[in-house]
Amino acid sequence: MGGLTPVAPDEIATIVTALEMTERPPLRPLPASPLRLVRWDAPAPDRYRALFRRVGAPWLWFSRLLLDDAALGAITGDPAVHVHAVIDRAGIEVGMVELDARTPGVCAIAYFGLVPELAGRGHGRWLMAETLARAWSKGVTRVTVATCTLDHPAALGFYRAQGFRPVSRTIETFADPRASGLLPEESAPHAPYLASRR
């Protein structure tokens, strides 16, 4: 029998769903898009954080913002981690994809997203096709991704429609990054901010 678990005002809880794909999807023509996916080799920490915030703040992405330059650079500079920026026609960075192949045989889509202004325009299908073309590199037998209830409400359905299969669920509770000032209080209005910053 279940029950309710209180969450402190300066914390937040979410249900995380892990998904995987164990077969390379059939080759199809890429959906048309005016966007480009550009690899960033060992991006400068400030440049990385700026894009991470732009894409992720509406969904309370914060984990990489906690890392100092050395710790962040150890991840993004690893040859098995590929950071990509989504670039629009004007050369503006409007999305990001990060692929992590540090586990043998597995490529994790660590981060995948576009700025909210591009949601619902079909760009996500293009971006996922581009992402999977890169993720299924030599030696990869499984591609993974995770989403949570703080993400866009269509995220889970989108990943399933792209061929991912849900494999597990966990509940994650963490300090609300808005309470510490790591993200602005107005971030993620779909997840009400309850703490008063002191």
Side-chain angles (χ1 to χ4, degrees):
M1 189 168 178
L4 298 176
T5 302
V7 177
D10 59 350
E11 293 188 341
I12 198 157
T14 184
I15 299 172
V16 180
T17 301
L19 304 97
E20 69 177 16
M21 181 182 289
T22 54
E23 292 183 6
R24 182 190 292 264
L27 288 175
R28 299 177 186 141
L30 284 176
S33 175
L35 307 176
R36 294 180 298 122
L37 192 58
V38 177
R39 169 97 183 263
W40 279 1
D41 288 312
D46 287 346
R47 186 180 189 203
Y48 177 95
R49 288 189 193 99
L51 183 57
F52 187 90
R53 282 180 191 275
R54 191 177 316 140
V55 176
W59 317 112
L60 292 188
W61 291 8
F62 73 94
S63 59
R64 294 293 170 79
L65 303 178
L66 294 171
L67 303 177
D68 63 21
D69 288 358
L72 180 58
I75 296 169
T76 59
D78 190 300
V81 175
H82 296 179
V83 177
H84 299 81
V86 180
I87 310 293
D88 70 8
R89 284 186 174 129
I92 298 170
E93 295 142 359
V94 293
M96 71 178 295
V97 170
E98 186 174 319
L99 300 175
D100 185 340
R102 290 177 290 179
T103 300
V106 179
C107 183
I109 302 174
Y111 294 99
F112 176 95
L114 294 163
V115 294
E117 296 83 352
L118 295 180
R121 299 186 188 179
H123 299 301
R125 290 191 301 277
W126 165 82
L127 184 56
M128 182 55 75
E130 291 278 359
T131 299
L132 290 174
R134 290 161 174 78
W136 282 104
S137 58
K138 185 176 179 181
V140 169
T141 59
R142 186 162 56 102
V143 176
T144 65
V145 69
T147 187
C148 73
T149 49
L150 295 173
D151 286 339
H152 191 286
L156 180 57
F158 170 78
Y159 290 137
R160 295 181 76 178
Q162 306 311 304
F164 286 93
R165 179 178 62 91
V167 292
S168 68
R169 273 194 304 261
T170 53
I171 296 174
E172 181 181 8
T173 304
F174 52 88
D176 191 323
R178 298 168 293 190
S180 64
L182 196 61
L183 290 174
E185 289 183 20
E186 61 271 14
S187 299
H190 63 290
Y193 177 69
L194 303 179
S196 295
R197 192 176 303 165
R198 290 172 172 76

